[in-house]
Amino acid sequence: MALRPIITAPDPRLREVSKPVEKVDDALRALMDDMLETMYDAPGIGLAAIQIGVPKRVIVMDLAGKDEEPEPRYFVNPEILDPSEEMQAYEEGCLSVPDYFDEVERPARCRVKYLDYNGESQVLDAEGMLAICIQHEMDHLEGVLFIDYLSRLKRERVLKKLKKEQRLAAAS
Ligand code: NI
């Protein structure tokens, strides 16, 4: 396993639409292992492959609390079915938009169809934080970031700040 660098906005790769995975094999499992390790190290609760620059439809997640046993989840080629009409507002953050949090509204419940770590087909009914997190990560596969749901003014302010920090980091 290896840590991979996480790319941050406004890196144009984050706007790419990720491609479906053809086969869940050892190479893909190695990618998922790296993603999980990178996510734990950050630390974060969810990571899409494009966030380490790999445009594949793969997500890893772990929503276990600090004092709980780790509960890694892997989603390959996930699809969202039956999103609820009821919406839920949640304060979101993203490893690709560091140090910024804001409230986003999403369907409160959804069903997710996906392939697991072993390539088996699964269906999961998600609600609460799990539903929110899955939808946030799914957006990454379409090149969408949570700041896209905010006002243009807010989004531009966040991106401007990130660009400035990246310039300072590159210069130092
Ligand atoms: Ni994110």
Side-chain angles (χ1 to χ4, degrees), residues 70-91:
E71 206 183 320
R73 296 171 186 268
Y74 309 86
F75 301 88
V76 178
N77 295 342
E79 284 172 65
I80 293 210
L81 312 168
D82 312 325
S84 65
E85 276 176 32
E86 189 195 333
M87 304 289 277
Q88 185 179 19
Y90 230 92
E91 178 145 290

Side-chain angles (χ1 to χ4, degrees), residues 51 94 136 140:
Q51 293 180 273
C94 179
H136 172 118
H140 278 299

Side-chain angles (χ1 to χ4, degrees), residues 36 40 45-46 58-59 66 73 75 97-98 109 136 165:
L36 197 76
Y40 283 142
I45 58 172
V58 179
I59 290 167
K66 253 185 239 156
R73 296 171 186 268
F75 301 88
V97 186
R109 288 177 303 282
H136 172 118
E165 284 168 6

Side-chain angles (χ1 to χ4, degrees), residues 5-140:
I6 295 175
I7 58 182
T8 54
D11 191 308
R13 286 174 289 176
L14 291 168
R15 295 309 188 179
E16 268 183 58
V17 176
S18 294
K19 302 214 169 45
V21 169
E22 282 174 17
K23 198 166 160 235
V24 181
D25 55 12
D26 287 346
L28 193 82
R29 278 186 280 274
L31 171 71
M32 292 194 276
D33 292 344
D34 282 359
M35 286 171 63
L36 197 76
E37 193 185 356
T38 302
M39 181 192 83
Y40 283 142
D41 180 72
I45 58 172
L47 190 76
I50 193 63
Q51 293 180 273
I52 56 165
V54 178
K56 288 186 178 167
R57 301 186 82 81
V58 179
I59 290 167
V60 297
M61 213 178 280
D62 190 335
L63 302 181
K66 253 185 239 156
D67 304 319
E68 291 168 352
E69 284 289 303
E71 206 183 320
R73 296 171 186 268
Y74 309 86
F75 301 88
V76 178
N77 295 342
E79 284 172 65
I80 293 210
L81 312 168
D82 312 325
S84 65
E85 276 176 32
E86 189 195 333
M87 304 289 277
Q88 185 179 19
Y90 230 92
E91 178 145 290
E92 296 188 19
C94 179
L95 293 174
S96 294
V97 186
D99 304 321
Y100 186 77
F101 301 88
D102 214 328
E103 209 165 75
V104 173
E105 264 204 353
R106 300 183 188 269
R109 288 177 303 282
C110 62
R111 176 166 286 176
V112 197
K113 189 170 170 256
Y114 62 100
L115 301 177
D116 66 14
Y117 192 79
N118 298 310
E120 306 282 334
S121 183
Q122 304 282 354
V123 176
L124 174 70
D125 286 310
E127 58 178 2
M129 189 142 137
L130 179 59
I132 298 301
C133 193
I134 285 172
Q135 293 174 76
H136 172 118
E137 300 307 329
M138 289 282 305
D139 273 353
H140 278 299

